[in-house]
Structures are given as structure tokens and as C-alpha cells.
Amino acid sequence: MSHLSNHDLPRLKKNLAGRQEHNSLKRYIERTREREYIAAKLSTHSPIEVDTSYRVAVRKTLINPRDGLSMKRIIGESDLLPVSYMQAGMKASKSVCRIEIRDSVGRVLGHGTGFLIAPCLLLTNHHILECEEAAQFSLAQFSYEVDLNLMPLQIKSFRFVPEHLFITDAKLDFTVVALENDSAEGTTLSEFGFLPLYPESGKALLGESISIIQHPSGAPKVVAVREKKIIDVYDDFINYTSGILPGASGSPVFNDEWVTIALHHTGVPDPDDSSKYIVNEGVRISSIMKYLNRLKPTLLEEQQVLLDSIFAGSELANYDRNPMVIGNLDMEWYERSAGYDAIFLGENYAVPLPTLRPDLRRDVAKLTNGKTVLDYTHFSIVMSKSRRLAYYTAVNIDGGHLVSVPRARKWYYDSRLNRKYQCGPELYNNNDIDRGHLVRRRDPVWGSLAKKANEDTFHFTNCSPQHKNFNQMIWLDLENYILSNTETYNLKVTVFTGPVFREDDVLYRGVKIPAEFWKIAIMVKRDGNLSVTAYLQTQKNLIRDLDFAFGSYKTYQVAVSNIEILTGLDFGDLRNYDPFRTITAVTGDIEPAIVNVINIPSDIRI
């Protein structure tokens, strides 16, 4: 790392910002004819008629069908928003922080804005944090804002740890950098959540209104709500109408679903008056995601794991809001599906599929060929006849060879299994139940068969009914946390997942809705021993009645033996490698004394 003097940093930042303004003006001038054409079309047509068909299709998938006015807002026929819009905006704002740029002796050199995009990763502009040394001395300050009485909240300051991860690019003017997990005041970073990033293009359309949360000139946090409109889209940048306060660089730009569409980085200067700006410019999130995906293979393994949390993060908010489309796959599709590999972790670490109690074995749904295990690409499933849901899923995850693949657009019945044993649209349509993936979409998506594995996860056999407010943030983050905090055997992990079936589960549309879900993760530690951790999460408070009342959820780390008692599954020797193996359970209930409540990933005992 080259050393920068205290006088170099402000000069360098000024030069970088000036260069960004110059480049933005050049792009703006070059696009004059295209922009005039777009403006003319938008004057007589709606955004969905002006933008490309692909971008319109992607934008529609982000619309919640329960929001009947969403499309009218996009095409400009209505400005009405549900009251929950403000609540969603407040949630998004928690992840936005002020960056205080300091030198090596602690002097403040300037300010910018940044926002969390993963549990410990922040996104801002290159011209704010252009090198590791600049990040090393600077701070990310959360809660720099005022309350309902316009009184300042206590600032929570976190240090950057660029030695863990620091990625920057001057052309796209972005920097991704790691943050410490705990502030000097004892606050954990997880309290501020993060803004999931979507890799697809089309998260907002030409002419659509946008919002920006920012710390202009280092001031307390403010928001520009739907004041600006997108007037042009380039390959890597977007233009939106002017009026944003100077110094808001590094701010997230949102569509009406509070999905981040761009990283604000500069204004386009007026060539006739240097004190004014014509329009503003943001860096497209899809371009940043493409850059990170291309860079990933060149990083160290532990850095790749950190970067994976960004792509996994996008999955958290991307639950299935779009109308269900049913596809068809013939028997030939499944012919070469090898399914779960019991020796995936190594010849000496065989992890066979669990066995079921005799009464449960009689309830297993058989395939048309008489077998009992549905094999897909890198994962397998065993189904219950009576519940029409999976008893369990088993997946092999190769963290070193994950591939980024767009979400599938269709859901499938498995033609190898009688449809009467599969829950389809009759359960999931027109209600508050989401199709919750048991094998998470990205887990088996690795290697040369990544695209096929991605499609395979969209089988009805691989989903279980979950309430739309069933917050899976920590649930989905468990595997990423384990991978990043354990020195694993070739970054491989095997995961079993499934529901807990109880006789008193709520009956809805002829299906008993599981109130609890479990997960068991297995890997090889550096010392050559297996690590086996088990988890249980409940949505019980969310499904007390058919109106699906709001409620809280809890995630627990429990003993493998508890999962065996609750499910009737036998995981053999795995219980011997469980950190809770010294604890014995004698009933089917989870005793408070033998559980570990998971509020943040670092609560996990490995």
C-alpha cells in the first residue's frame, strides 16, 4: 500500500470528484439525441411502453401483487402509496450511514454516504474511499439523524477493516469494504440490517420516480421521496432529474419497493454555470454486481465467501411476489440427476441420508419407478404422502465454485411423483403464503450444471408454505456465517433442511401448515473433525389463525438429538460431532436450558 500524506487525501478526493463530473458531462452530451427521443416518447407514452420488454418484465417481478396501485404509480396515473411505504422506507434507512473520512492522526477531511449491502460489507463511491489506507482511518457512522422531536440520536461508529475485503473501481466509481462487527459503544452491526442487491437489469424504468436516502455534505440523514425521475439509462449509469444536495455521494437510489437501483455518485455540471448541475448520475447496481461476479474468482477463498454474502443477500428480499407460472419438464430432464452425494465432503467423511421411523417410512411418497428419493442436481428430497410436503431435503454446497444464475420464472410439478402428493397453486395463490425454498436457490447452483440446479430448485416438492412476514434473514445467513468463520475442507458443506410435522399444525386449504423448520449443517474443520450444527426456527406466532396475524419469530441452535426427536429422523453418527452432544433430551419438547437463541450469526456455537 502506498503511503498518502495528510495533504494528499483532500487533493486526491477533489481531483477524483472533478474527474467524475467531467466524465458524466461527456456521457450526457453524447446521449443528447437519444435522451430527446426518450423525452418525446415519455410525453405521450407510459414508462412500460417506452422501456425495453426485458426491463419491463424484470420490473413487474418486483411488484407486490397485493399493492393494487403499484403499476398506476409507475405509469404516472397515481401518487397514492400504502402507509406501509413509510415503514419500509424507515427500515431501509437504517442501513444508510455517514462516512467520516479521516487521516492517520484523526483529523476529519470530509464526509460521504454509504450503505450496508451484506451483514458486514458497505458500498460507497470510489472517490470517497479510493484506497485501503483511506478506509483504514475512516469511520462509518450509523443513526446520525434526528428523532420525532427533532433531537439527535446517539451516533454508532464502526471502523472499516479493508484487510478483510476492499474492492474498488474508478470507472464505475464504487468501493465495497468490510466493517467490524461491533462498535466502540458495544453496538452490533446487525442492528442496522442491510439493503439486498439484485443483479438483474430493469429494477426501475425510464420515467419512473425514485427516492434517495443521503447525508448531504455530512449533515444528518435526510430523504428525497419520489422527487426525481429517471430520464436516461446507459450501459453502466442512469440519469435522473436534478435537485439533490451536494455532498450526497455514496447514497442508495431506490424504486417504489425500496429496492436499490443505483449508487448516486455525481451531478452533471452545467457547462455554462459551474455552480449548477443539469441532472444527477448514479451507477447502476446491475453493473456493480457484474463487476463483482467477474472479480470473484481472483480473490482469496475467505474473500470469496464474504463476497458471496452480497449475492445471497439479494435472495433475502426476493421472495416470490410474481404471479405463478407453471412449466413442464419431461422425464428426460431427470434422467441424469445424480442427486445428493453422501461422500461429498470426502471419502473419510461419509454423511448418508437420514432414516425414518417405521411409521414414517410407510408414509413416504413413492416415485413412479418405486423409489423413495427424488434426485435433483446436487440435492435430493424425500416426500410425505399425508402432508404433501418434504420430510427433508439434502444438498451439497461447493462454496468455491458457486455460479451466479438469474432466478427461474416458472414452477414445476415433478413428473416422477403423483401430483396428489405435491402442493401447488391451490395452496399458494391469492394469500399471504409464500413458496419457501427448503433447498435455498443458490446452494446447489455451482459447477457446470449450475443452470440445471437453479431450475431444479423451483419444484413444488422443494417448497414449504411460509408466511410472507416469516423473516428468514438469519435463517438464510446461517450457512454463509459458518462458511466464513470455519476453515472448511475445500469450502464444502452438506445441509439437511425440513419442516417439523405436528398433529396440531394449522389446517389451511386442506394442508397442515408447519409451524417450525429445522436445518443441520455439516462440514470438515481444519483439525480434520466434522462440525455438525443444528437449528430450529418457528413461524408459530404468524399462523395462529387463518388471518395470519402478525407476530415475532425465533431462531435457535439446538442439539441434533432434538431434531431427531421432533422429526422422527435418525442422523446416525452426526450427533457425536454436535457441540451440544453432551446434552441429552428425553422429550419431544425443546427445553430452554438446552437451546441457544440466535439473534445474530455470531451467536452460533461451532
Side-chain angles (χ1 to χ4, degrees):
M1 181 193 315
S2 60
H3 179 71
L4 295 174
S5 72
N6 296 335
H7 301 291
D8 287 334
L9 282 169
R11 176 178 53 79
L12 182 57
K13 291 180 184 302
K14 184 176 181 180
N15 290 340
L16 287 170
R19 194 179 309 148
Q20 294 297 341
E21 288 187 359
H22 172 77
N23 292 337
S24 68
L25 177 58
K26 182 180 178 182
R27 283 189 289 268
Y28 183 81
I29 293 173
E30 290 174 348
R31 290 276 301 184
T32 299
R33 182 174 297 179
E34 292 89 343
R35 189 171 50 258
E36 290 175 348
Y37 172 75
I38 291 169
K41 287 201 69 176
L42 285 173
S43 66
T44 56
H45 296 77
S46 73
I48 61 173
E49 296 173 303
V50 175
D51 222 314
T52 67
S53 58
Y54 172 77
R55 286 171 49 79
V56 170
V58 171
R59 183 67 184 93
K60 287 181 177 180
T61 66
L62 297 175
I63 295 172
N64 192 322
R66 304 177 188 105
D67 183 358
L69 293 173
S70 56
M71 188 56 70
K72 289 187 176 181
R73 284 195 301 273
I74 291 175
I75 64 178
E77 290 184 358
S78 173
D79 286 327
L80 295 178
L81 293 154
V83 174
S84 59
Y85 176 84
M86 294 182 285
Q87 183 181 0
M90 285 299 297
K91 181 180 178 182
S93 75
K94 291 184 65 177
S95 304
V96 181
C97 68
R98 181 177 76 166
I99 296 176
E100 188 169 83
I101 307 160
R102 296 184 174 187
D103 62 18
S104 59
V105 295
R107 286 179 294 195
V108 178
L109 305 176
H111 295 93
T113 303
F115 53 99
L116 292 169
I117 57 173
C120 62
L121 297 179
L122 178 138
L123 178 64
T124 188
N125 291 135
H126 168 81
H127 75 261
I128 293 175
L129 296 177
E130 74 285 344
C131 63
E132 291 188 36
E133 187 173 356
Q136 191 75 52
F137 305 122
S138 300
L139 294 174
Q141 299 176 323
F142 293 85
S143 298
Y144 183 45
E145 55 193 272
V146 296
D147 63 16
L148 290 175
N149 297 315
L150 300 183
M151 296 297 293
L153 299 179
Q154 182 182 359
I155 297 175
K156 311 291 185 177
S157 297
F158 292 80
R159 294 191 177 279
F160 294 101
V161 281
E163 61 271 24
H164 291 177
L165 186 70
F166 186 89
I167 300 171
T168 192
D169 182 69
K171 181 182 177 182
L172 291 178
D173 194 20
F174 82 89
T175 292
V176 172
V177 58
L179 280 172
E180 62 182 359
N181 287 318
D182 300 292
S183 71
E185 304 86 7
T187 304
T188 57
L189 192 60
S190 61
E191 289 186 17
F192 302 99
F194 63 90
L195 301 174
L197 302 185
Y198 293 73
E200 294 87 357
S201 167
K203 295 178 286 294
L205 305 180
L206 287 162
E208 188 173 347
S209 297
I210 59 169
S211 300
I212 302 179
I213 299 174
Q214 56 194 293
H215 284 279
S217 301
K221 191 183 300 177
V222 295
V223 58
V225 182
R226 307 191 81 242
E227 293 180 350
K228 319 301 170 194
K229 290 183 180 295
I230 298 174
I231 62 171
D232 202 358
V233 177
Y234 313 157
D235 288 342
D236 297 320
F237 302 91
I238 63 171
N239 281 153
Y240 33 96
T241 48
S242 60
I244 296 172
L245 295 174
S249 294
S251 303
V253 181
F254 300 97
N255 66 13
D256 271 349
E257 279 70 41
W258 293 103
V259 170
T260 312
I261 65 170
L263 170 68
H264 176 70
H265 82 129
T266 191
V268 178
D270 187 336
D272 300 320
D273 186 347
S274 60
S275 65
K276 296 180 180 179
Y277 292 93
I278 307 170
V279 294
N280 289 292
E281 185 178 81
V283 188
R284 294 175 62 181
I285 292 299
S286 55
S287 294
I288 294 174
M289 296 286 272
K290 286 178 184 176
Y291 182 100
L292 294 174
N293 197 42
R294 289 195 301 267
L295 181 71
K296 180 186 167 184
T298 68
L299 301 176
L300 298 174
E301 288 185 348
E302 56 268 28
Q303 293 176 324
Q304 291 187 31
V305 172
L306 275 176
L307 200 59
D308 276 338
S309 65
I310 299 176
F311 292 91
S314 67
E315 196 77 11
L316 304 182
N318 198 9
Y319 57 84
D320 297 295
R321 304 173 182 145
N322 50 303
M324 195 181 307
V325 179
I326 308 299
N328 292 299
L329 296 171
D330 56 29
M331 294 296 287
E332 187 177 342
W333 173 269
Y334 306 99
E335 286 180 358
R336 297 184 180 180
S337 298
Y340 171 79
D341 182 1
I343 58 172
F344 178 71
L345 300 180
E347 292 285 348
N348 298 323
Y349 303 99
V351 182
L353 294 175
T355 59
L356 286 81
R357 284 196 322 250
D359 59 313
L360 300 182
R361 286 200 294 270
R362 292 191 290 271
D363 184 52
V364 171
K366 291 185 178 181
L367 285 61
T368 53
N369 62 6
K371 295 183 178 181
T372 57
V373 178
L374 288 161
D375 287 328
Y376 298 98
T377 309
H378 302 148
F379 68 98
S380 297
I381 296 176
V382 170
M383 296 288 293
S384 162
K385 288 191 296 186
S386 61
R387 299 295 293 257
R388 301 168 62 200
L389 301 170
Y391 270 118
Y392 68 84
T393 64
V395 60
N396 303 126
I397 308 170
D398 189 340
H401 298 89
L402 291 173
V403 177
S404 180
V405 177
R407 289 176 65 86
R409 300 300 177 193
K410 297 178 180 179
W411 281 84
Y412 304 98
Y413 287 102
D414 193 313
S415 56
R416 298 170 294 176
L417 186 68
N418 194 312
R419 282 199 180 186
K420 68 181 181 180
Y421 301 137
Q422 305 175 61
C423 293
E426 72 282 355
L427 174 60
Y428 298 102
N429 274 349
N430 302 317
N431 55 27
D432 287 341
I433 294 179
D434 288 331
R435 290 151 274 164
H437 279 65
L438 292 175
V439 171
R440 190 175 55 169
R441 182 183 74 87
R442 292 196 70 248
D443 285 352
V445 181
W446 52 266
S448 60
L449 297 176
K451 290 184 178 180
K452 189 172 188 294
N454 177 66
E455 207 78 14
D456 275 347
T457 63
F458 285 85
H459 277 81
F460 288 117
T461 52
N462 185 43
C463 64
S464 197
Q466 294 176 349
H467 188 270
K468 68 184 178 73
N469 297 317
F470 182 42
N471 188 335
Q472 299 185 67
M473 183 175 294
I474 292 178
W475 183 244
L476 291 178
D477 190 48
L478 289 173
E479 292 150 30
N480 290 326
Y481 177 83
I482 295 167
L483 282 172
S484 63
N485 287 272
T486 305
E487 296 190 50
T488 61
Y489 177 75
N490 200 28
L491 286 176
K492 292 182 176 180
V493 60
T494 284
V495 176
F496 297 107
T497 306
V500 175
F501 293 149
R502 295 184 183 273
E503 287 299 318
D504 61 352
D505 283 335
V506 172
L507 183 66
Y508 178 68
R509 294 187 179 181
V511 178
K512 288 187 175 182
I513 309 297
E516 296 146 317
F517 295 87
W518 57 270
K519 186 185 294 286
I520 296 176
I522 308 104
M523 67 205 65
V524 180
K525 296 188 292 186
R526 186 179 183 183
D527 61 9
N529 292 315
L530 282 177
S531 168
V532 181
T533 48
Y535 310 93
L536 184 72
Q537 190 175 50
T538 177
Q539 62 173 0
K540 186 171 293 185
N541 288 347
L542 294 173
I543 57 173
R544 278 182 283 190
D545 52 51
L546 292 182
D547 293 328
F548 292 97
F550 248 117
S552 61
Y553 76 99
K554 289 286 186 181
T555 301
Y556 306 93
Q557 183 176 358
V558 300
V560 171
S561 56
N562 284 132
I563 301 298
E564 291 179 315
I565 291 170
L566 288 171
T567 62
L569 298 172
D570 186 340
F571 288 93
D573 291 340
L574 291 187
R575 67 181 75 91
N576 298 327
Y577 301 96
D578 184 351
F580 287 1
R581 64 185 178 276
T582 57
I583 302 170
T584 58
V586 295
T587 72
D589 296 323
I590 300 298
E591 300 295 338
I594 61 171
V595 301
N596 180 31
V597 179
I598 306 297
N599 293 310
I600 57 176
S602 57
D603 291 333
I604 297 170
R605 301 178 192 174
I606 296 177

